[in-house]
Amino acid sequence: MSTTDDTTPAIHDPTNIRQPSLKERWWHIMDTWKVGIIPLPLFVLAGVLIAIDCISGKLRSDIVVMVATLAFFGFACGEFGKRLPVIGKIGAAAICATFIPSAMVYYGLLPDVVVESTTRFYKSTNILYLYICCIIVGSIMSMNRTVLIQGFLRIFFPMLCGEIVGMLVGMGVGIALGLEPFQIFFFIILPIMAGGVGEGAIPLSIGYATLLHMDQGVALGRVLPMVMLGSLTAIIISGCLNQFGKRFPHLTGEGQLMPDSANVEATPAQPTLSGKMDVTTIACGALLAVLLYMLGMLGHELIGLPAPVGMLFIAVLVKLCNLVSPRLLEGSQVVYRFFQTSVTYPILFAVGVAITPWQELVNAFTISNLLVIVSTVSALVATGFMVGKKIGMYPIDVAIISCCQSGQGGTGDVAILTAGNRMSLMPFAQIATRIGGAINVSVSLLILGNFLV
């Protein structure tokens, strides 16, 4: 009777390799073939169901149907932008997710029922503010207290220097092109730094209508395209800065403003994700963000401070005073990461459909306007980069915050930080956009009303 030595290595026989079963092949497709974050089979199923609803003319605007609709179109546009050669690496995904839907609406390429349902859902739910509050609160709760204080104290100086230099450069370029100084400043440069549409372009148009005795619709039509082009320029620059940071990693903190933050973040005071949270902890993290935003809304009614800014200050106070437990901080971080990963492109698609007028953007594409806008935003960002480096901050991350000074409000911040892969900077972006824009609009209208009219 013969025996086989168990220590003898077995001869490798390629024919003995087990072929994956049909079930395993299907699972492989589900796990690896994706459009954005959506498995390809689910993406196809969503497209078929949306097409059926569109053909029947009954695409509902409730949250269940809209989750599928916005995810389908948003991730499709984002994936298309990511796969574009060269520009796919400098923010094309955020640009495509915002402006392709706007163009499709204008040229009638998007079914009317999709446009109507998306617009109704976006305007009736204020879904953007839910997104922003979860991003702001989650990013603040994930910061170290020391870094948070240092970042907020130092970020104002690069912002101020950037605005001054940006305005001077923009004025110089405009005058060199033969444009009227009054028109350059009040109808090109100021709208770029006004803080977006709701907090910038609309108050500006109201002020211009009163002080310059012009129709508000006409004023808004001249101001709004500059806001959009400034934001588009900032998105592209932010994407370029992200790539620049990959080539020169010593210039970036990958979402941290302070060079010493890597050491500070390792201290026991900074909670890290343990991976042992239950569903209730995550739910409480989401509820914390919502309640802080409601406090911000209350502050808006009492003192007129924009709700996102009020919420931001309250969240910082909560963090600095250790008013919530480390476990709840973890829940807030998970909520932040969920919204950053899963909701960004659907939100940008809704913004493109509901509030981004394609024709006004195209009409503003004149050589003189573009040169003034690009030079203004570039000078603003370059100044933020250099000043940030000079005062001991990560220059690329400071420069991306400077990009947000010329963003299209909250939606612009989302697109800019998405292009720059720095969503953790949202609290500082809100300061740059909301507070900086409000100061610019208020001071400029005060000057216009008392000295120039």
Side-chain angles (χ1 to χ4, degrees):
M1 182 175 178
S2 62
T3 59
T4 304
D5 187 359
D6 291 338
T7 61
T8 304
I11 299 176
H12 179 69
D13 185 0
T15 61
N16 290 332
I17 298 177
R18 187 179 71 86
Q19 296 297 320
S21 64
L22 182 61
K23 176 181 65 176
E24 290 171 333
R25 291 178 183 177
W26 174 252
W27 288 348
H28 177 74
I29 293 174
M30 291 283 287
D31 291 339
T32 58
W33 294 14
K34 295 183 178 182
V35 178
I37 65 167
I38 308 174
L40 183 59
L42 297 184
F43 181 82
V44 173
L45 176 60
V48 171
L49 294 175
I50 293 169
I52 293 173
D53 286 343
C54 290
I55 292 173
S56 65
K58 297 179 180 179
L59 185 69
R60 298 167 62 90
S61 60
D62 59 72
I63 191 170
V64 175
V65 177
M66 282 294 103
V67 165
T69 303
L70 299 186
F72 176 82
F73 287 106
F75 283 112
C77 293
E79 191 71 21
F80 173 78
K82 287 180 181 179
R83 294 181 179 275
L84 290 175
V86 183
I87 62 173
K89 296 182 179 180
I90 58 172
I95 294 172
C96 290
T98 306
F99 293 103
I100 286 180
S102 176
M104 292 176 70
V105 171
Y106 179 77
Y107 293 110
L109 301 178
L110 204 60
D112 291 341
V113 65
V114 174
V115 177
E116 294 169 3
S117 297
T118 300
T119 303
R120 190 182 309 117
F121 173 77
Y122 179 83
K123 293 186 175 181
S124 64
T125 60
N126 278 335
I127 185 70
L128 176 65
Y129 291 103
L130 174 63
Y131 175 88
I132 289 177
C133 77
C134 289
I135 290 290
I136 289 177
V137 173
S139 55
I140 287 177
M141 296 306 165
S142 64
M143 291 181 185
N144 180 274
R145 295 169 70 250
T146 304
V147 174
L148 186 63
I149 295 173
Q150 291 177 348
F152 274 100
L153 291 178
R154 292 197 188 186
I155 194 62
F156 287 99
F157 187 60
M159 287 170 48
L160 177 61
C161 294
E163 287 201 353
I164 294 173
V165 174
M167 289 178 179
L168 292 175
V169 171
M171 287 293 294
V173 172
I175 292 173
L177 293 172
L179 302 178
E180 184 181 348
F182 183 88
Q183 300 297 325
I184 298 170
F185 182 81
F186 286 101
F187 286 95
I188 300 180
I189 295 177
L190 183 58
I192 295 174
M193 303 180 185
V197 179
E199 297 83 359
I202 292 178
L204 271 182
S205 66
I206 295 173
Y208 291 168
T210 302
L211 298 174
L212 302 178
H213 308 291
M214 60 189 303
D215 184 80
Q216 184 189 350
V218 174
L220 185 61
R222 294 181 59 182
V223 167
L224 187 59
M226 306 306 165
V227 176
M228 297 169 60
L229 284 177
S231 185
L232 176 59
T233 304
I235 293 170
I236 296 173
I237 293 177
S238 180
C240 294
L241 286 168
N242 182 41
Q243 293 302 310
F244 189 65
K246 292 179 179 179
R247 295 191 61 182
F248 302 96
H250 65 284
L251 296 176
T252 177
E254 292 293 337
Q256 300 291 340
L257 290 177
M258 310 301 299
D260 60 345
S261 59
N263 297 326
V264 178
E265 294 291 344
T267 62
Q270 175 64 21
T272 56
L273 293 179
S274 63
K276 299 180 181 179
M277 288 174 294
D278 54 24
V279 175
T280 58
T281 303
I282 300 173
C284 288
L287 181 61
L288 173 65
V290 171
L291 293 178
L292 291 182
Y293 183 75
M294 292 179 67
L295 287 175
M297 293 173 62
L298 182 62
H300 176 68
E301 294 178 0
L302 295 176
I303 61 176
L305 189 68
V309 177
M311 175 195 64
L312 188 155
F313 288 144
I314 297 171
V316 171
L317 182 64
V318 168
K319 175 68 177 182
L320 296 182
C321 296
N322 292 317
L323 297 182
V324 294
S325 66
R327 191 172 183 83
L328 190 53
L329 294 181
E330 288 189 59
S332 297
Q333 293 178 57
V334 173
V335 173
Y336 156 72
R337 294 186 181 183
F338 167 78
F339 274 83
Q340 176 189 8
T341 305
S342 306
V343 186
T344 298
Y345 291 113
I347 283 287
L348 291 177
F349 172 80
V351 167
V353 170
I355 61 171
T356 306
W358 178 256
Q359 186 59 50
E360 294 184 10
L361 181 67
V362 173
N363 290 341
F365 264 94
T366 64
I367 296 299
S368 58
N369 284 346
L370 286 176
L371 289 175
V372 174
I373 291 171
V374 171
S375 61
T376 300
V377 178
S378 299
L380 188 158
V381 174
T383 303
F385 182 97
M386 291 184 290
V387 173
K389 185 177 181 181
K390 195 71 174 178
I391 64 176
M393 306 176 77
Y394 280 118
I396 288 178
D397 300 272
V398 174
I400 290 177
I401 294 297
S402 298
C403 289
C404 295
Q405 291 180 258
S406 55
Q408 191 177 332
T411 60
D413 290 343
V414 174
I416 291 167
L417 297 181
T418 299
N421 195 28
R422 301 291 194 284
M423 194 60 75
S424 60
L425 294 176
M426 179 62 82
F428 303 101
Q430 288 289 298
I431 289 178
T433 303
R434 309 281 183 177
I435 298 180
I439 292 174
N440 289 337
V441 171
S442 301
V443 172
S444 299
L445 289 179
L446 182 65
I447 293 173
L448 181 63
N450 289 278
F451 300 102
L452 301 180
V453 177

